[in-house]
Amino acid sequence: MDNYHELISVIALTMGVGWASGINLYAAVLVLGLAGATGNVQLPAELTVLQDPLVIVAAGVMYAVEFFADKVPGVDTGWDALHTFIRIPAGAMLAVGAVGDVTPALEIAAGLLGGTMAGASHLTKASTRALINTSPEPFTNWVASISEDLLVLGGLWAMFNHPLLFLCLMILFIALVIWLLPKLLRLLMRLLRKIGQWLGLVEKPPEEPSEATPPALEASGGSPEPVSKQP
């Protein structure tokens, strides 16, 4: 039974650190570091480096920067685009550390799982925030940003205290991403195409001829030819 609970906890930690990193990497590192440093959580040996005061301070500073950048329309999208190359690899690295010192095969599997979870949560967040930026008011961005921070904090709490419940929620999250992410990406591509047409970077699609106009009239410029009377 103890081995079963330990396995569930390891899987939850592996998926959780990847998922949280894709939404807010610095909040995830800060929470893990503080939880380990205060003795509230026993981190795996490979993640105890997060308890180092330098890591905690660096994560806190970067979280403060992201806290404000994430609430400015346009800036948040640029921040997300930049962190595509940071959150996903970091999520994979944290997931590898979560499984501890095991076989290389398990480490690779953990890295793939953590990176996939980080990529799924990051792409969902980034595409959603890009669509939110179509509204001129900033309040939606603030609500979304604060909700994401609370989601990370609540998810990490559930990961440590109720790992089985957390795994069930992660399964629901994966199902939601499979259903929702393609729709978000299609809307985002449509938005980018419209912006490109507005800037003149993308050609507008040719307008289809009206069905009410006969082809013969369209070929002659729209004016019917006079019909000569026969004697």
Side-chain angles (χ1 to χ4, degrees):
M1 186 62 69
D2 291 338
N3 291 335
Y4 168 77
H5 288 298
E6 183 179 357
L7 177 61
I8 293 295
S9 298
V10 171
I11 296 175
L13 182 60
T14 303
M15 297 182 68
V17 293
W19 166 80
S21 298
I23 301 175
N24 194 321
L25 171 63
Y26 306 117
V29 173
L30 181 62
V31 169
L32 291 173
L34 289 174
T38 55
N40 292 314
V41 171
Q42 183 67 36
L43 295 176
E46 284 71 15
L47 292 183
T48 53
V49 65
L50 302 180
Q51 303 173 188
D52 190 286
L54 289 178
V55 176
I56 293 176
V57 170
V61 171
M62 291 306 300
Y63 172 70
V65 173
E66 180 162 336
F67 182 84
F68 293 101
D70 208 37
K71 293 172 178 58
V72 180
V75 176
D76 58 347
T77 298
W79 185 268
D80 286 336
L82 173 64
H83 279 74
T84 301
F85 308 99
I86 301 175
R87 291 172 181 162
I88 298 176
M93 291 176 60
L94 290 174
V96 171
V99 297
D101 187 11
V102 290
T103 62
L106 285 177
E107 291 180 351
I108 293 174
L112 291 174
L113 180 59
T116 301
M117 294 299 296
S121 57
H122 168 72
L123 290 176
T124 303
K125 171 188 176 177
S127 56
T128 302
R129 298 298 291 275
L131 293 174
I132 288 177
N133 283 335
T134 57
S135 62
E137 41 78 29
F139 302 105
T140 312
N141 297 74
W142 299 348
V143 171
S145 179
I146 294 173
S147 299
E148 290 161 1
D149 290 347
L150 294 176
L151 184 63
V152 169
L153 295 177
L156 292 177
W157 178 86
M159 178 186 71
F160 285 120
N161 294 278
H162 303 284
L164 185 58
L165 172 62
F166 180 78
L167 285 179
C168 294
L169 294 176
M170 285 295 97
I171 293 173
L172 292 177
F173 167 74
I174 293 172
L176 179 63
V177 166
I178 293 174
W179 175 78
L180 182 62
L181 190 56
K183 295 177 174 57
L184 291 175
L185 293 178
R186 282 197 295 268
L187 289 174
L188 184 59
M189 293 303 298
R190 191 179 305 169
L191 174 63
L192 293 176
R193 193 178 301 114
K194 289 184 178 295
I195 294 175
Q197 292 173 358
W198 181 66
L199 295 175
L201 301 176
V202 178
E203 294 183 0
K204 294 183 178 180
E207 296 182 359
E208 297 181 358
S210 175
E211 297 180 358
T213 305
L217 294 182
E218 183 181 351
S220 61
S223 301
E225 295 181 358
V227 179
S228 58
K229 296 182 179 180
Q230 299 293 334

